[in-house]
Amino acid sequence: MREEIIWNDLTQEDFIEENENKDKKDRIKRIICVILGICIGVFLTGAVVSQRAMEVDARISKIQGSLSKEVFRFHVLADSDSDEAQRVKLKVRDCVLEYMKQTMPGNEDIVSASQTKKWAKEHLRQIEDIAEEVIRDEGYSYRAKAEVSVCYFPDKRYGDITFPQGYYEALRIKLGKAKGHNWWCVLYPNLCFTSSTCAVVDEEGKEELKEILTDEEYEMITAATDFKIKSFFFGEGTDDERK
């Protein structure tokens, strides 16, 4: 009888231990499942976010490509980064812009980027002569080269207007080795003439941009950050929004 009681006690202890081990294994399994679920969730979320970001970048790139056909930029590259070379660059800028103001037809005659490009191509020699005259007056002998070409531009901010990075056609003036910091603005629409430094776009310039750009293009350059966020969450919008 005593042996039977001892055996029953041992059996009960084994049963309790077995249940505890089973509960422990079940907890470990649940923890592993939770961890795996989190990992899978993070992976899927990351994949979705990455895919969405790629779609937004592709959309912005597409709009930038369209925008680049609507504007024509102006680019001056200094001979070097020395203070003197940078000063010469700005004098060349001022003299060339003054020449353009006096010579380029008014807004009623030039109503597209292509017409501005045509005018620039027809006046490259005169622009080079003006630039080289400034260089000589400043006591230097390096040459100037004017050309209309496709150039890569980083993001450029003019006050509350931001032109996205990408390739644009531009009137480019290379001074000497053209190894110094450069300066640029937008020739069409004529944002180069909105202020002495071309650092901001005034209300008249914004109205010109509104007239030549689509609503989507104008939204992108006036609210770049908001545009990216909106594109990320809402995509390209409805057909009514794009009209």
Side-chain angles (χ1 to χ4, degrees):
M1 185 71 175
R2 184 177 178 184
E3 289 179 356
E4 185 178 345
I5 293 174
I6 293 173
W7 173 254
N8 287 338
D9 288 343
L10 289 173
T11 302
Q12 187 175 4
E13 289 177 2
D14 291 341
F15 178 77
I16 293 173
E17 183 178 354
E18 183 179 345
N19 281 339
E20 288 177 348
N21 289 336
K22 184 178 180 182
D23 289 341
K24 186 176 181 180
K25 289 178 180 179
D26 288 342
R27 285 197 301 272
I28 292 173
K29 287 180 180 179
R30 285 195 294 270
I31 291 172
I32 291 173
C33 288
V34 170
I35 293 173
L36 286 175
I38 292 173
C39 290
I40 292 171
V42 169
F43 175 78
L44 292 176
T45 301
V48 170
V49 169
S50 178
Q51 177 65 28
R52 197 76 186 109
M54 290 173 63
E55 291 173 359
V56 171
D57 288 343
R59 183 187 177 204
I60 290 175
S61 178
K62 179 180 178 182
I63 299 172
Q64 184 277 324
S66 175
L67 173 67
S68 69
K69 296 181 178 66
E70 307 294 339
V71 301
F72 183 55
R73 302 178 75 163
F74 181 35
H75 196 199
V76 184
L77 293 85
D79 177 60
S80 70
D81 280 334
S82 71
D83 291 342
E84 284 300 305
Q86 291 295 311
R87 185 174 61 81
V88 171
K89 174 192 73 177
L90 296 180
K91 290 201 72 171
V92 168
R93 173 200 71 181
D94 293 342
C95 290
V96 171
L97 287 180
E98 185 59 33
Y99 168 73
M100 290 177 179
K101 276 186 183 182
Q102 296 175 3
T103 312
M104 187 182 291
N107 290 343
E108 66 279 5
D109 297 313
I110 291 188
V111 293
S112 70
S114 61
Q115 288 178 301
T116 309
K117 295 170 194 175
K118 183 175 182 294
W119 182 92
K121 289 177 180 178
E122 292 172 350
H123 293 78
L124 292 177
R125 183 65 260 175
Q126 294 91 325
I127 291 169
E128 287 179 352
D129 290 342
I130 292 168
E132 289 183 349
E133 183 177 354
V134 172
I135 293 169
R136 287 194 300 271
D137 288 346
E138 294 300 314
Y140 297 95
S141 59
Y142 53 79
R143 305 296 298 273
K145 173 66 176 176
E147 61 187 13
V148 172
S149 61
V150 176
C151 312
Y152 176 81
F153 290 86
D155 288 340
K156 177 61 179 176
R157 191 174 185 86
Y158 301 90
D160 55 355
I161 298 287
T162 301
F163 282 85
Q165 65 179 355
Y167 288 91
Y168 297 81
E169 274 198 280
L171 168 61
R172 170 181 274 196
I173 302 177
K174 299 178 181 179
L175 305 179
K177 297 177 181 178
K179 298 295 186 181
H181 279 89
N182 52 67
W183 174 92
W184 55 77
C185 69
V186 177
L187 269 181
Y188 183 84
N190 59 355
L191 305 185
C192 289
F193 309 131
T194 58
S195 72
S196 59
T197 61
C198 309
V200 297
V201 177
D202 62 13
E203 291 304 317
E204 183 179 350
K206 291 177 183 177
E207 287 302 318
E208 287 192 53
L209 285 169
K210 274 187 179 180
E211 290 178 7
I212 69 168
L213 303 181
T214 65
D215 291 342
E216 193 174 41
E217 290 166 351
Y218 187 76
E219 181 185 7
M220 182 173 69
I221 66 172
T222 54
T225 301
D226 291 342
F227 182 83
K228 288 183 178 180
I229 293 173
K230 179 182 175 183
S231 296
F232 184 88
F233 287 105
F234 303 108
E236 297 188 13
T238 65
D239 291 338
D240 290 338
E241 288 175 331
R242 292 195 292 272
K243 290 179 181 178

